[in-house]
Amino acid sequence: MHIVDHEPANKRFLIRDNGTAAAVMTYVTSSPELYIIDHTLVENAYRGQGLGDKLLKAMVEHARENGIKIIPLCPFAKGRFDRIPEYADVLNK
């Protein structure tokens, strides 16, 4: 089972496997209420396991809990926001 950690000091959501980063989603804060997802990376050995989706789900849940809107600049995140209407409530329009 892959656990997503939020590291606010590093502005990222991270999944580790035996201490090694398997997947990471980074963001910048435009304001305390606005996050911009700028990069998602899943290491080659972990591709096809849905780790990017787990990272995005954790980011969306964090945004909902904290009244944050998201701008998905990263192509992966933008593509998922386009395909998952349930995430529209946190999308900055």
Side-chain angles (χ1 to χ4, degrees), residues 59-78:
M59 169 76 89
V60 168
E61 289 172 357
H62 175 76
R64 286 178 177 149
E65 292 167 3
N66 294 281
I68 296 166
K69 294 293 184 181
I70 297 173
I71 297 174
L73 290 185
C74 158
F76 170 81
K78 173 143 180 32

Side-chain angles (χ1 to χ4, degrees), residues 41-61:
L41 172 70
V42 176
E43 294 295 336
N44 288 336
Y46 299 94
R47 293 202 175 171
Q49 298 179 33
L51 299 188
D53 288 316
K54 288 181 183 203
L55 291 168
L56 185 58
K57 182 179 179 189
M59 169 76 89
V60 168
E61 289 172 357

